[in-house]
Amino acid sequence: TGTQLIVIGQLLNASIYWAIGKAGVYYGCKFGYHIPWCTGFPFNVFTAHPQYFGATATVLGAVVLFTSPAAEAGGWWALAAVQVL
């Protein structure tokens, strides 16, 4: 369901902060910060890019959660798919 996708997506996004910190998330290595290479959770799950997957899962979860039958019939799923891509 939509809520499950949102929870999974936000769990992955929060895990990135816990794993590599704020400087790692916001390209601190480009500004001289030493960012340790992380191979543990969340980088060892089903994707090499958990933050991208988490953001995508969150957006799709919101679409599933808030889409009405009228919007679904009107083609909003195509718009949601384009937004995620």
Side-chain angles (χ1 to χ4, degrees), residues 15-85:
S15 297
I16 294 295
Y17 278 92
W18 294 329
I20 61 176
K22 183 178 180 180
V25 171
Y26 295 111
Y27 298 101
C29 61
K30 302 289 185 185
F31 298 109
Y33 292 100
H34 172 70
I35 310 301
W37 193 258
C38 182
T39 57
F41 183 79
F43 294 97
N44 63 356
V45 293
F46 51 88
T47 178
H49 304 286
Q51 190 170 14
Y52 295 141
F53 185 86
T56 302
T58 299
V59 170
L60 283 178
V63 168
V64 169
L65 193 61
F66 296 114
T67 297
S68 66
E72 189 175 321
W76 282 98
W77 284 106
L79 179 61
V82 169
Q83 179 182 8
V84 168
L85 295 176

Side-chain angles (χ1 to χ4, degrees), residues 4-25:
Q4 292 168 331
L5 283 170
I6 291 171
V7 168
I8 290 169
Q10 290 305 300
L11 174 68
L12 286 172
N13 284 334
S15 297
I16 294 295
Y17 278 92
W18 294 329
I20 61 176
K22 183 178 180 180
V25 171

